[in-house]
């Protein structure tokens, strides 16, 4: 029986430890005082554990190296995840967008199930055990050195230390430094699924405004569309956030001079919206312009739209010209913000970048550089959109690494 050391007690590490324990003695090392600190805050504390879509559809939701994940996702699918937790007594439910959550809405139930399974399998879990160094010789890791000066020897090592976002949960990127020191290429970590910042001075006036059913496009300086989707977004004091914006953030680069173009009424074509505005204007023909948009727009947005429309706010609606009205419709279909960048990586839901997938065997998660080293989870250069895909990636890569380690 070989001794497998798993570093990091997030979903990837816990699943890797469980899978490896079928054939090996396993020690799981976690730097925090408890397991799964990031898992605890996922899905706003409810933990969107996976997605119920066909596994073949997952690849459409993974912008970061989807094909590298083919073996992992087909070896351990979303159905395996659902069965794993249901067998451990966690009831699950499917919500909008096929997102799967525990019925209790408590991420602690997911962590509790993991803990029971780790215990049942007699896996040794060492908490408050931060790995500071990996000790290697002749292309093989011999042991890890912990912050409490302990040295833990092993035959195989699975590195599951996560990305660099939300560092207070323990994911501080140390695993990337270890992998680099061991000779791996690291694709520069960048924030992904992150709010977007913008320079407009009126953005603060919209803070807290949430818009449902809008279409968001990210376009470059030549007008080329880099992202387009439909959904829900939110204005903040620094720019925009919400599910649609987090997904869009993957294409944002600070040096590209990008614009976020919001179609506030995507269900109506230009002419249809023009007709709708005409009918509202007919209804409120004797009112001032600023009082004519109540049925069309949320209150918070009216002041800003009136300002940007360049129509005098006190102008009587029946005096508004055809050209002014057409420009207003254009503004509603192309409500535009100048993008300055994204929030810092610490605030990202996931890290894109990480250990270069070219240096990992996709069918085993084994390093191509160090023979007794494996990787799983967000420490690898993979990332997905929101919807439960990121945790499923952690579980699938964790399972694959754990079940193939030492073969
Ligand atoms: P992590 O969960 O980051 O775990 C890594 C572990 O390694 C940590 O416990 C850390 O303490 C430990 N560690 C690090 N360095 C060392 C060291 N040197 N020694 C010992 N231990 C170490 N994804 C979804 O699919 N659904 C969601 O609902 C969802 N919601 C999210 C909400 C938020 C606010 C955030 C920040 C992320 C969310 N994600 C969600 C993303 C998801 O949480 C991560 O992709 C996932 O946790 C990655 O798992 P992991 O095991 O690779 O890494």
């Amino acid at each position: 029986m070989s001794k497998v050391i798993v570093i990091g007690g997030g979903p990837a590490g816990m699943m890797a430890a469980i899978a490896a324990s079928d054939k090996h003695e396993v020690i799981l090392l976690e730097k925090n005082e408890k397991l799964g600190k990031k898992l605890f805050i996922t899905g706003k504390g409810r933990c969107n554990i996976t997605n119920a879509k066909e596994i073949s559809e997952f690849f459409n939701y993974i912008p970061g190296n989807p094909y590298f994940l083919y073996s992992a996702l087909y070896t351990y699918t979303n159905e395996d995840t659902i069965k794993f937790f249901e067998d451990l007594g966690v009831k699950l439910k499917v919500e909008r967008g096929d997102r799967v959550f525990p019925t209790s809405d408590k991420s602690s139930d997911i962590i509790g199930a993991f803990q029971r399974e780790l215990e049942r399998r007699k896996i040794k879990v060492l908490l408050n055990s931060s790995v500071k160094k990996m000790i290697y010789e002749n292309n093989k890791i011999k042991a890890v050195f912990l912050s409490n000066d302990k040295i833990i020897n092993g035959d195989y090592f699975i590195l599951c230390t996560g990305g660099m976002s939300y560092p207070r949960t323990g994911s501080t990127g140390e695993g990337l430094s270890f992998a680099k020191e061991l000779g791996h290429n690291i694709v520069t970590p960048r924030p992904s699924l992150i709010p977007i910042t913008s320079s407009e001075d009126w953005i603060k006036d919209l803070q807290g405004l949430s818009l449902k059913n809008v279409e968001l496009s990210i376009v470059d300086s030549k007008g080329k569309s880099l992202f387009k989707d439909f959904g829900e977004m939110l204005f903040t004091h620094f720019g925009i956030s919400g599910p649609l914006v987090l997904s869009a953030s993957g294409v944002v680069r600070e040096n590209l001079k990008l614009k976020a173009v919001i179609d506030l009424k995507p269900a109506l074509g230009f002419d249809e919206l023009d007709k709708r505005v005409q009918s509202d204007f007919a209804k409120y023909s004797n009112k001032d312009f600023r009082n004519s948009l109540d049925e069309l727009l949320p209150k918070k947005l009216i002041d800003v739209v009136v300002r940007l429309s360049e129509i005098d706010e006190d102008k009587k609606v029946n005096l508004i010209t055809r050209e002014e009205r057409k420009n207003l419709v254009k503004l509603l279909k192309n409500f535009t913000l100048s993008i300055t960048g994204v929030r810092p990586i610490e605030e990202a839901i996931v890290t894109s970048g990480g250990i270069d997938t070219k240096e990992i065997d996709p069918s085993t998660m084994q390093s191509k550089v160090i023979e007794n080293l494996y990787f799983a989870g967000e420490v690898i250069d993979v990332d997905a959109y929101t919807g439960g895909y990121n945790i499923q990636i952690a579980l699938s890569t964790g399972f694959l690494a754990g079940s193939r380690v030492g073969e």
Side-chain angles (χ1 to χ4, degrees), residues 62-77:
I62 304 176
N65 288 313
Y67 299 111
F68 169 79
L69 291 167
Y70 202 84
S71 278
L73 287 172
Y74 274 99
T75 302
Y76 196 83
T77 66

Side-chain angles (χ1 to χ4, degrees), residues 146-218:
L146 304 184
S147 53
N148 54 14
D149 288 344
K150 274 191 194 152
I151 290 181
I152 312 270
N153 297 308
D155 300 304
Y156 298 97
F157 295 80
I158 310 180
L159 192 63
C160 311
T161 46
M164 292 180 69
S165 62
Y166 278 65
R168 68 190 157 84
T169 63
S171 330
T172 48
E174 284 149 75
L176 300 175
S177 313
F178 303 147
K180 191 170 179 193
E181 206 181 312
L182 293 166
H184 296 83
N185 182 41
I186 307 298
V187 176
T188 309
R190 280 192 302 105
S192 181
L193 300 183
I194 178 94
I196 292 176
T197 54
S198 87
S199 57
E200 274 69 24
D201 57 356
W202 42 260
I203 206 83
K204 288 189 189 69
D205 301 340
L206 298 182
Q207 182 176 350
L209 172 68
S210 153
L211 297 176
K212 290 200 168 95
N213 305 326
V214 291
E215 188 182 81
L216 171 69
S217 305
I218 307 290

Side-chain angles (χ1 to χ4, degrees), residues 7-13 29-32 36-39 41-44 47-49 129-132 160-163 165-166 169-172 174-175 178 348-350 376-379 387-392 394:
I7 306 162
L29 303 175
E30 166 55 49
K31 67 150 83 145
N32 289 323
K37 263 198 164 178
K38 185 175 277 180
L39 199 53
I41 59 164
T42 56
K44 299 201 171 95
C47 186
N48 176 197
I49 187 75
S129 297
S130 184
V131 171
K132 285 294 155 205
C160 311
T161 46
S165 62
Y166 278 65
T169 63
S171 330
T172 48
E174 284 149 75
F178 303 147
I349 301 293
V350 283
E378 212 179 304
V379 76
Y389 307 105
N390 285 297
I391 295 179
Q392 181 62 50

